[in-house]
Amino acid sequence: MIEESELPPLLQRIPTGVRGLDGILGGGLFQAGIYILAGRPGAGKTTIANQMCFDHVRGGGRALYVTLLAETHGRMMAQLRQMSFFDMQAVGGPVKYINGFSAVESRGLAGLLELVRNGIREHRATLLVLDGMVTASNFANSTVDYKRFINELQTWVGVIGCTVLFLTSAGGAPGEQPEHTMVDGIIELRNSTFGLRTLRELSVTKFRGSAFTEGGHPYRITSDGVVVFPRLEGYISPPPPFDPGRQELRPFGVSRFDTMLGGGVGSGSTTLLLGSSGSGKTILGLHFLAEGARRGEKGLHFGFYEMPGPLMDKADRIGLGFRAHVEAGRIVLHWQVAAERILDALASELLDLVRTHGIKRLFIDGLVGFKETVYADRLAGFFSVLVKELSCLGVTTVITEETRELFVREIEIPTSGVSAIFDNIVFMRQVEIGSELHRLISVMKTRDSAHDRGLFAFDITGSGIEVGEKFPGPLAILGQARDPNAPDPANGAP
């Protein structure tokens, strides 16, 4: 039996410094491993590699960046200076750039290997970037020659503990390129087109010694470098221990409506406010946040259409004191334009806000803001994970969804496949009676609790939403009410 002391030590992780990537990799690259970063020109390989170098030296390491027929170092510096991670003081110190083309041109791969070995030794590098592996492969006499170069480098860096990143524009499935079978991991960058939109995606296709999150993950190149948004369906926090004694109700602050709900919605639950445009969904959501602020429960308004100024004015006109709550930090407003958004980036922003501000009540005004992203076919699975994550964080969520028609004859949630994920569903509608429009509200569903199944009239007044008495007349067709005093066609009346 082998004693534990005889086993090789556990491999240490090297953080990449790329937001979102370490989570996908399970914690970062392994020390002394060789990894490929592949992608077409302009995909962001150089940005990621430099991001790793400057993050590595901030942690006490030393980085060596070797270029082969890539852009000049001066041009690269000029572009990197725009990035927040770039530190000019580190260049020439812990981060060193050298050009290896002359070595490989004059002496082939043997010359390049010697240059790299000497560079690592003299610079005491713990991270090596070799930018331009396609160029290096062009100087190999055969596939065996190219594999021998990688194998010798692999043996060398394994002894001294230096982590290596190969940058290449050669794509293909794992195993198609000679180096694919030899390296410890492969990270691919690619572009996908959705109509007129182009989306950058990162995927890990190989990673020895660790689990990783498979599939495509969107990313952006920003002034802070590359930011990766892990595909939400690949993540979920373990649920907290169930404690029925801690289940509390979260009222909306609308007396009769809270009574319909049996006192409010359960903490950690998700409620859908379904209705046509102008039915009062946003106003009811603002009530929910204002009531939470009064109770000391911090709230977040995550909206796509109404900008913060007009929204606060609207809420204050009905006496919710919204602006004061926002200025005091009891309610956080986050507004963004719905167009050209990335589904996982929205989730990342939302969860960051929740964690940063300790949010307990969340109002997402417009499920459609998520539907206008490029991954509309993922919505059911995406929201299933998102609401569970919010519940694990102790957040009670209210979301609005607009019906397709102004006057609804059939109750149908426009976004297919998501109805099962909502704990509670409230339907708000407008109906015609004679020459007037009337607003009606009903609770269609509450999970694991009783609710009033009646249909109630409500109005939006200077004091906000006021729910009146139960609607007295029958509704032959949902969304189309008859005057209870009018003759009933069902009984033969004209």
Side-chain angles (χ1 to χ4, degrees):
M1 180 177 177
I2 300 176
E3 298 293 334
E4 186 171 348
S5 59
E6 298 177 297
L7 295 172
L10 291 174
L11 296 172
Q12 299 298 311
R13 294 275 190 172
I14 304 294
T16 63
V18 178
R19 181 184 164 191
L21 181 55
D22 287 347
I24 293 169
L25 297 174
L29 307 179
F30 283 116
Q31 184 182 21
I34 294 185
Y35 299 90
I36 288 176
L37 181 60
R40 292 177 177 275
K45 302 185 296 299
T46 302
T47 303
I48 288 180
N50 278 283
Q51 218 170 324
M52 287 184 60
C53 288
F54 285 95
D55 181 77
H56 189 65
V57 302
R58 278 195 296 273
R62 297 178 69 82
L64 178 64
Y65 199 110
V66 181
T67 57
L68 297 170
L69 269 188
E71 58 190 327
T72 65
H73 292 172
R75 184 71 177 169
M76 186 189 296
M77 294 299 110
Q79 293 167 352
L80 291 175
R81 290 185 67 180
Q82 315 301 318
M83 304 288 185
S84 63
F85 63 79
F86 182 73
D87 179 9
M88 193 64 198
Q89 300 300 316
V91 177
V95 180
K96 185 177 181 180
Y97 293 85
I98 60 175
N99 190 313
F101 183 71
S102 296
V104 73
E105 184 184 35
S106 60
R107 297 181 54 208
L109 293 181
L112 178 61
L113 185 61
E114 182 180 356
L115 176 84
V116 169
R117 281 177 173 174
N118 291 337
I120 291 175
R121 187 187 299 114
E122 292 169 5
H123 188 58
R124 292 175 284 113
T126 47
L127 174 64
L128 166 70
V129 175
L130 202 46
D131 188 350
M133 287 302 289
V134 170
T135 302
S137 66
N138 290 336
F139 284 91
N141 295 320
S142 64
T143 300
V144 173
D145 192 28
Y146 188 46
K147 285 188 173 182
R148 185 179 295 116
F149 163 76
I150 295 175
N151 178 257
E152 291 185 16
L153 181 62
Q154 203 167 30
T155 303
W156 170 257
V157 298
V159 171
I160 62 174
C162 180
T163 307
V164 179
L165 189 64
F166 289 158
L167 307 192
T168 178
S169 57
E176 289 186 354
Q177 301 298 325
E179 63 270 34
H180 283 184
T181 58
M182 305 183 69
V183 298
D184 297 290
I186 302 171
I187 301 170
E188 287 189 293
L189 308 177
R190 62 177 178 273
N191 291 339
S192 299
T193 302
F194 300 84
L196 297 177
R197 304 183 195 180
T198 299
L199 183 71
R200 297 175 187 267
E201 285 185 332
L202 176 151
S203 60
V204 180
T205 55
K206 175 182 179 182
F207 201 81
R208 285 175 177 159
S210 173
F212 59 91
T213 306
E214 298 182 70
H217 307 278
Y219 72 94
R220 280 181 176 153
I221 301 177
T222 73
S223 59
D224 294 325
V226 169
V227 178
V228 185
F229 305 101
R231 191 166 44 82
L232 187 67
E233 292 93 316
Y235 289 87
I236 184 159
S237 301
F242 178 66
D243 182 359
R246 297 183 60 185
Q247 182 73 10
E248 299 174 354
L249 294 176
R250 301 280 186 260
F252 280 69
V254 179
S255 178
R256 183 66 64 89
F257 178 60
D258 287 330
T259 301
M260 292 167 60
L261 290 167
V265 293
S267 59
S269 67
T270 302
T271 302
L272 178 68
L273 302 183
L274 179 65
S276 62
S277 176
S279 60
K281 303 183 298 299
T282 297
I283 295 293
L284 188 55
L286 296 179
H287 269 282
F288 176 72
L289 292 181
E291 178 64 13
R294 285 193 290 271
R295 293 169 176 263
E297 298 161 2
K298 210 162 184 179
L300 168 64
H301 178 278
F302 196 82
F304 297 94
Y305 297 105
E306 295 194 65
M307 291 187 286
L311 185 77
M312 287 189 288
D313 287 345
K314 174 196 282 189
D316 284 350
R317 284 198 298 272
I318 57 175
L320 295 181
F322 221 71
R323 189 178 297 274
H325 289 315
V326 172
E327 291 175 352
R330 294 185 288 269
I331 293 176
V332 177
L333 298 183
H334 185 79
W335 171 81
Q336 64 268 291
V337 178
E340 301 288 328
R341 304 291 294 182
I342 298 175
L343 192 60
D344 299 289
L346 280 175
S348 177
E349 289 175 24
L350 175 59
L351 292 172
D352 281 350
L353 287 166
V354 165
R355 294 186 179 107
T356 300
H357 296 282
I359 298 299
K360 293 301 176 188
R361 291 191 180 214
L362 168 65
F363 176 38
I364 300 175
D365 195 5
L367 189 62
V368 68
F370 290 86
K371 292 162 62 176
E372 292 183 357
T373 60
V374 296
Y375 290 128
D377 57 334
R378 286 176 46 203
L379 275 183
F382 172 87
F383 265 98
S384 177
V385 175
L386 179 61
V387 300
K388 282 184 175 62
E389 191 69 17
L390 290 168
S391 180
C392 289
L393 293 170
V395 179
T396 307
T397 304
V398 172
I399 306 175
T400 63
E401 168 77 308
E402 193 164 305
T403 55
R404 295 190 180 96
E405 298 177 358
L406 191 61
F407 302 100
V408 181
R409 290 175 179 272
E410 297 179 354
I411 301 175
E412 178 187 3
I413 298 176
T415 305
S416 61
V418 302
S419 60
I421 68 175
F422 297 108
D423 299 298
N424 318 300
I425 297 178
V426 176
F427 189 34
M428 306 172 77
R429 73 194 81 175
Q430 297 186 79
V431 296
E432 298 173 72
I433 301 178
S435 59
E436 291 186 356
L437 289 177
H438 293 256
R439 289 188 171 97
L440 301 178
I441 188 169
S442 55
V443 179
M444 307 302 297
K445 166 189 173 182
T446 55
R447 184 162 289 167
D448 301 327
S449 65
H451 63 267
D452 193 320
R453 303 180 68 83
L455 188 64
F456 289 78
F458 76 96
D459 205 355
I460 300 174
T461 72
S463 301
I465 287 182
E466 293 184 1
V467 179
E469 299 298 323
K470 190 173 291 188
F471 191 72
L475 287 180
I477 302 174
L478 288 171
Q480 192 172 52
R482 290 188 302 103
D483 183 340
N485 299 316
D488 187 353
N491 294 327

